[in-house]
């Protein structure tokens, strides 16, 4: 729904909530303005409430845009999320159900968001789950090609590295790699798997990695140039 507030068009959605005692206004990233109303509250009274609170709404919307513009966010200002180097439109629908649901299809990432849940938290949790699926598949394929057998895959969010490989054969990867292009994910995975054969960064090690990924340096360069940005995204 659309309303004009002090000359600006503002989109909003209405959410009926059984537990709500009074009308509440929320401004959320990607969802924009959400009006939570008690179950039997007449929806036709909503526009006048928005007009009464126009100043406040516009101030919060502006503040949110500033935050989105200055800090890299998991959700960008145009309402997309990064996945494998692409911008995927995010479709957020408020729901009265208590359950969050996230579904990825060919066009967008759909989220049914219960009242009072935090969109960024929901998205980060989804990234972690999705990272496990995507990385497990890649690790399986590359392990076969390299001829190693990792025993475990751990998904984390380490501050200083993208991946690691333990002497026991556990491969740990940052879920944030999911934001990077697929070739970059492959580079980190191949790098860690090669450590199962060479536990160092000797010329021998790099030769091994390069024998599998001849364009290794372009992939490393991407990570060096964009890594900080991926790490900071909240
Ligand atoms: Zn290494």
């Amino acid at each position: 729904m659309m309303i004009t507030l002090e000359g600006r068009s503002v989109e909003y959605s209405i959410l009926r909530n059984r537990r709500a005692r009074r009308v509440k206004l929320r401004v959320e990233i990607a969802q924009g303005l959400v009006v939570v109303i008690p179950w039997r509250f007449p929806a036709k009274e909503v526009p006048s409430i928005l007009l009464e609170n126009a100043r406040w709404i516009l101030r919060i919307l502006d503040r949110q845009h500033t935050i989105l513009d200055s800090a890299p966010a998991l959700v960008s200002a145009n309402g997309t999320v990064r996945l494998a180097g692409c911008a995927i439109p995010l479709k957020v629908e408020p729901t009265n159900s208590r359950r969050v649901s996230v579904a990825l299809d060919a066009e967008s990432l759909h989220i049914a968001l219960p009242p009072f849940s935090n969109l960024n938290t929901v998205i980060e949790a989804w990234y972690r789950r999705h990272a496990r699926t995507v990385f497990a598949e890649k690790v399986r394929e590359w392990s076969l090609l390299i001829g190693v057998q990792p025993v475990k895959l751990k998904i984390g969010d380490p501050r200083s590295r993208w991946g690691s490989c333990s002497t026991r054969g556990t491969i740990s990867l940052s879920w944030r790699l999911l934001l990077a292009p697929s070739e970059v994910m492959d580079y980190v995975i191949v790098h860690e798997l090669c450590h199962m054969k060479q536990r160092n960064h000797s010329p021998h090690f790099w030769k091994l990695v390069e024998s599998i990924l001849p364009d290794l340096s372009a992939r490393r360069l991407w990570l060096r140039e964009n890594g900080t940005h991926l790490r900071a995204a909240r």
Side-chain angles (χ1 to χ4, degrees):
M1 275 157 281
M2 202 70 113
I3 190 166
T4 306
L5 300 176
E6 299 188 356
R8 279 168 59 181
S9 310
V10 173
E11 219 177 294
Y12 68 97
S13 52
I14 295 178
L15 181 67
R16 282 190 192 277
N17 189 316
R18 280 184 196 279
R19 284 181 301 169
R21 291 278 180 84
R22 56 191 180 81
V23 176
K24 272 188 193 164
L25 302 178
R26 283 192 346 231
V27 180
E28 304 239 347
I29 292 170
Q31 259 176 302
L33 176 60
V34 180
V35 188
V36 183
I37 59 175
W39 202 250
R40 294 179 191 285
F41 191 86
K44 64 175 184 343
E45 287 182 25
V46 168
S48 65
I49 294 172
L50 297 182
L51 288 168
E52 275 167 35
N53 293 280
R55 268 280 144 86
W56 180 86
I57 293 166
L58 294 174
R59 201 180 63 228
I60 303 291
L61 280 173
D62 285 343
R63 194 196 299 162
Q64 209 168 64
H65 284 139
T66 323
I67 294 170
L68 283 170
D69 289 346
S70 60
L74 286 176
V75 182
S76 65
N78 61 4
T80 61
V81 287
R82 293 215 75 75
L83 188 62
C86 301
I88 311 272
L90 182 66
K91 299 272 160 69
V92 182
E93 298 251 357
T95 171
N96 282 314
S97 147
R98 289 202 194 151
R99 277 197 48 182
V100 177
S101 89
V102 187
L104 177 68
D105 66 20
E107 280 130 43
S108 34
L109 185 67
H110 302 262
I111 299 183
L113 198 67
F116 314 112
S117 44
N118 180 293
L119 182 63
N120 267 321
T121 312
V122 167
I123 291 177
E124 187 175 322
W126 177 80
Y127 269 122
R128 283 173 186 265
R129 290 197 301 276
H130 194 60
R132 180 162 292 282
T133 315
V134 173
F135 298 166
E137 185 58 33
K138 285 181 176 294
V139 166
R140 191 158 43 237
E141 282 173 15
W142 288 112
S143 302
L144 276 173
L145 203 116
I146 299 166
V148 291
Q149 287 177 312
V151 293
K152 205 174 150 195
L153 172 63
K154 263 171 73 177
I155 306 296
D157 188 14
R159 284 280 114 213
S160 57
R161 46 192 190 176
W162 296 108
S164 61
C165 170
S166 81
T167 45
R168 290 186 178 163
T170 298
I171 301 289
S172 305
L173 297 166
S174 166
W175 64 263
R176 292 177 185 277
L177 275 173
L178 209 50
L179 309 175
S182 190
E183 302 80 53
V184 175
M185 299 178 206
D186 285 332
Y187 158 65
V188 175
I189 290 169
V190 168
H191 179 125
E192 298 313 332
L193 290 174
C194 283
H195 275 318
M196 295 187 77
K197 287 190 161 177
Q198 284 282 331
R199 302 232 145 251
N200 49 43
H201 291 123
S202 63
H204 247 77
F205 168 80
W206 287 114
K207 229 175 226 147
L208 176 63
V209 180
E210 206 169 6
S211 71
I212 298 151
L213 303 173
D215 61 345
L216 162 72
S217 52
R219 302 181 195 223
R220 289 182 76 194
L221 183 67
W222 191 96
L223 209 50
R224 259 203 306 275
E225 284 178 345
N226 301 279
T228 321
H229 201 74
L230 299 194
R231 278 222 174 84
R234 292 275 144 227

